Amino acid sequence: QPVLTQPPSVSAAPGHEVAISCSGSNSNIGNNYVSWYQQLPGAAPRVLIYDNNHRPSGIPDRFSGSKSGTSATLGITGLQTGDEADYYCGTWDTSLSGVVFGGGTKLTVL
Amino acid sequence: QLQLVESGGGVVQSGTSLRLSCVASGFSFSTNGMHWVRQAPGKGLEWVAVIRNDGNSKDYAESVKGRFTISRDNSKNTLYLQMNSLRVEDTGVYYCARNPSRIDIASADFRGQGTLVIVSS
C-alpha cells in the first residue's frame, strides 16, 4: 500500500485540463517538497516537477505543481493525446527516512 | 547531454548476488545525490536507496535494508548497487536517477532506460 494516495485513473478530452491529486501526511508532504513524474507506455519515468512547483528545462508550462498542507496537485492544461501516461508523485518521508511514491494515476485523453 | 547508463542486470536465482552500475555523463556527477528506483512488472515506482554527493550519507528502503548497498566512485562518474540475498520480489527494472534539486534530496531525474533484474526461485 503506497504511502501517498493518488486516484487510480483520470480522464479528460483533448484541449481540456486535468488535476491529479496526491495526499499524504505531516511526515511526508506536509513538511517536505513534492515531485511529479510522467511515465509514457514502455518508457522510463521523467521528472515533470520538483521542489513543489519547479519545471526542469524542456518541460512545457502546460504542466504545473502546487502544494497545500498535506496534499499536492499536478495540473495539466491543453491536454494532448501524447499526455496519456502514468503519473506519480513523490516526496521525502521524515519518519521513514526515505523517498515515498504514490501508487500512480493513469491519465486517459479521450 | 545529461545521460545515465545502467547495466549489470540479468536472471539470477534467489539467494544470490548481483551488482548494478550506472555511468553518468553530461553533468557534474560529484555534486549530485543519486538514487536507485525500481519498478516491478506492471507495478508502480518503488524507491530503493539514495547516496549524497560525497558518498558519506546513505538511506535505504526498509525492504532492502541490510541486503543492498549503494555506493559511488566520483572519479569514475559511476554509481553502484550491490544486491545480496536476492528475493523473487526484487524482480524489476532498476533505474538510477540524479537528484536535480539543491534543496530537496528526494527528487529524481531519470535519464536512463534502466536494467532488468529477474530473480527466479
Side-chain angles (χ1 to χ4, degrees):
Chain A
Q1 192 78 349
V3 172
L4 305 180
T5 301
Q6 297 181 237
S9 63
V10 296
S11 62
H16 287 220
E17 61 185 65
V18 70
I20 297 175
S21 62
C22 176
S23 179
S25 67
N26 283 326
S27 70
N28 42 67
I29 292 177
N31 285 285
N32 293 290
Y33 294 93
V34 177
S35 302
W36 288 93
Y37 306 90
Q38 177 194 60
Q39 188 172 32
L40 297 170
R46 72 163 176 168
V47 62
L48 296 175
I49 300 287
Y50 64 90
D51 295 350
N52 292 340
N53 53 22
H54 182 85
R55 273 188 317 276
S57 60
I59 300 301
D61 60 6
R62 301 188 297 108
F63 295 92
S64 64
S66 63
K67 190 186 98 166
S68 178
T70 59
S71 294
T73 301
L74 173 70
I76 311 174
T77 60
L79 280 169
Q80 304 171 1
T81 55
D83 294 332
E84 287 199 333
D86 293 321
Y87 292 83
Y88 297 90
C89 57
T91 187
W92 187 261
D93 190 294
T94 307
S95 298
L96 297 174
S97 292
V99 177
V100 292
F101 290 108
T105 298
K106 183 175 182 62
L107 170 63
T108 301
V109 181
L110 302 167
Chain B
Q1 181 181 351
L2 202 157
Q3 192 173 12
L4 298 170
V5 179
E6 302 97 336
S7 63
V11 181
V12 296
Q13 287 204 317
S14 61
T16 61
S17 300
L18 206 56
R19 188 175 87 153
L20 307 183
S21 299
C22 168
V23 178
S25 60
F27 67 100
S28 180
F29 180 76
S30 63
T31 64
N32 286 89
M34 296 293 295
H35 294 273
W36 285 102
V37 176
R38 67 185 181 185
Q39 188 169 34
K43 302 297 184 182
L45 302 177
E46 181 188 10
W47 175 76
V48 174
V50 65
I51 185 169
R52 275 62 171 187
N53 61 311
D54 61 5
N56 290 330
S57 178
K58 309 170 187 180
D59 286 294
Y60 298 90
E62 203 60 43
S63 58
V64 307
K65 205 171 287 185
R67 299 188 299 124
F68 290 11
T69 302
I70 189 171
S71 62
R72 63 191 298 160
D73 185 337
N74 286 343
S75 69
K76 296 182 178 179
N77 286 356
T78 302
L79 176 73
Y80 302 101
L81 185 67
Q82 177 66 43
M83 305 187 295
N84 298 332
S85 302
L86 282 162
R87 304 169 180 169
V88 171
E89 54 265 35
D90 295 320
T91 293
V93 176
Y94 284 70
Y95 299 100
C96 67
R98 177 186 75 105
N99 173 230
S101 172
R102 295 177 184 272
I103 57 176
D104 173 32
I105 188 60
S107 55
D109 182 13
F110 300 84
R111 296 289 182 141
Q113 290 307 303
T115 187
L116 177 61
V117 173
I118 298 174
V119 183
S120 65
S121 57

